[in-house]
Amino acid sequence: MNREIYKIALPAIVANITIPLLGLLDTAIAGHLGAAAYLGAISVGAMMFNLIYWNFGFLRMGTSGLTAQAYGTGDRMAQARILQQSSLLGLAIALGILLFQVPLQVFTLWLIGPGDDVRRLAMTYYYIGIWGAPPLLVMMAVKGWLLGMQDSYRAMAVSVVVNVLNIIISLIAVYCFDMGFAGIAVGTVAAEWLGLGYSAWIMARRYGWLKHYLGWSTALSHDDVRKFFNVNGDIFVRSALMMVVMLFFMAVGARSGDLLLAVNALIMQMFTLYSYFLDGVAFAGEAIVGKYCGKGDNERLALAVKRLFLWGVVFTAVFTVAYAFPQSIFSLLTDDITVIEAALQYRLWCALIPIAGMAAFVWDGIYIGMTRTRGMLVAVLVAFVVFFAVFWLSPATWGNDRLWLAYIVFLATRGIVQTLLYRRVRRQVFINPNN
């Protein structure tokens, strides 16, 4: 069992680690273009796309759980149908984004509220980058499908290839073709379309049998479409609630002054780093739990849950120790002594991030694998209410600690609620997996 988890978790972690490398390179290119506004525009542009794409993570998560169960049953017709449904949905959403790109730009910039110089550059980045929506959303579905097929190596390969191409093409566009700031966005879009072509090549080479099962009649089967949208609908609403929490967190931090805004961004990077590793465990949960659900192997399913939590505990112990003494990590992320000294006052929250977040990450993977996504939605809904209750009931004199307390409680509540729900969910899955 540990070997199964390792084979899926490791490629997922490697793929995740390439993400900040790309962000660092884009920042480095923008930082050498001669004006501070370029750095701000990269940050704002990335935030605009995060706001747009955040809620569509179900294209990967929902697809992986459903595919893993079909893999467990050995039903190739179902495997092909899920890929077709999720890819078509991703393409339809992308076309909707392109159609409404102007109001989306107005809305996201209104939410972020940058200055005029940054706004102008961010709009340039946005109107080029938006054409990467079709390949990006379709590749979400493809990577989720590959993960469900227990093929995390190829899912990793797609992510790594796209990120490497992005780096190479951005450098060429900016420095060889003198495209300036726009070259960064051109590199991103070109890499995404090339990555989609690479994904298609992988599917044709490794999964050529798919062509014998694809068809509109099966893709639009009423019962299967209903299950597909039930699972993905729960994840969509869950993501929307989480986005509201993050927007509120960012907005409160921004109103606390530039120093605390920088401190919160620094600590949130610590959370992001931790999430890269725990997401690997969650991805393994999606694939392995889904497989054994599909097979109806209750014994292996129960063992998988225990081992996934063991991996989560190990990672959490390592990160908790490291985050309890965060000065060296802070120094790697910034050389601003003032920000580092201010951030050290919040070291307790750094140490609590892994402890509070572990169960939520692992349970998410398990629930997705079981396609019991309603439990994930309920957990986030309860945590959403608790987050705002803790924030508004805490004394305003606590300042930034008030915000971090609410966020840590939010993370912990998600895990606690899913733990409490698991007995009922387990009974449904173990006794009658087809319910």
Side-chain angles (χ1 to χ4, degrees), residues 113-311:
D116 291 340
D117 290 342
V118 170
R119 175 186 293 269
R120 176 178 54 80
L121 289 168
M123 288 175 63
T124 298
Y125 184 89
Y126 171 86
Y127 281 118
I128 297 172
I130 200 72
W131 293 97
L136 186 146
L137 293 176
V138 172
M139 279 191 292
M140 277 189 189
V142 171
K143 286 187 281 189
W145 188 86
L146 288 170
L147 185 62
M149 295 294 289
Q150 320 296 298
D151 193 354
S152 63
Y153 172 79
R154 288 181 177 81
M156 174 197 72
V158 171
S159 295
V160 172
V161 165
V162 169
N163 288 332
V164 170
L165 284 173
N166 194 338
I167 291 170
I168 294 171
I169 298 172
S170 293
L171 288 170
I172 292 173
V174 172
Y175 295 111
C176 295
F177 290 97
D178 295 322
M179 298 181 70
F181 180 76
I184 301 174
V186 168
T188 299
V189 173
E192 285 165 350
W193 280 103
L194 289 172
L196 181 62
Y198 176 64
S199 301
W201 179 80
I202 284 178
M203 303 303 285
R205 183 179 177 86
R206 177 66 180 83
Y207 299 99
W209 52 265
L210 280 166
K211 62 185 178 183
H212 300 296
Y213 296 93
L214 297 176
W216 289 106
S217 59
T218 53
L220 300 178
S221 169
H222 174 72
D223 290 338
D224 295 316
V225 168
R226 185 182 62 176
K227 182 178 181 181
F228 180 82
F229 279 99
N230 283 342
V231 169
N232 290 322
D234 289 337
I235 299 174
F236 178 85
V237 177
R238 164 191 174 272
S239 298
L241 293 173
M242 292 177 67
M243 183 175 69
V244 171
V245 170
M246 288 307 302
L247 286 173
F248 181 84
F249 187 97
M250 288 168 20
V252 172
R255 289 175 174 82
S256 301
D258 291 344
L259 179 59
L260 282 183
L261 179 60
V263 166
N264 286 349
L266 192 61
I267 299 175
M268 194 54 74
Q269 284 299 313
M270 307 278 275
F271 174 76
T272 302
L273 177 62
Y274 172 70
S275 73
Y276 290 149
F277 287 82
L278 264 291
D279 271 342
V281 178
F283 289 1
E286 295 172 21
I288 296 169
V289 169
K291 177 177 69 175
Y292 289 123
C293 273
K295 287 184 175 181
D297 190 336
N298 295 343
E299 183 178 346
R300 297 291 288 177
L301 177 57
L303 178 61
V305 171
K306 293 177 181 177
R307 293 294 172 84
L308 287 163
F309 268 98
L310 178 61
W311 277 66

Side-chain angles (χ1 to χ4, degrees), residues 99-112:
L99 183 62
F100 294 101
Q101 59 182 280
V102 174
L104 283 171
Q105 173 261 307
V106 172
F107 176 68
T108 53
L109 278 181
W110 172 78
L111 278 178
I112 300 168

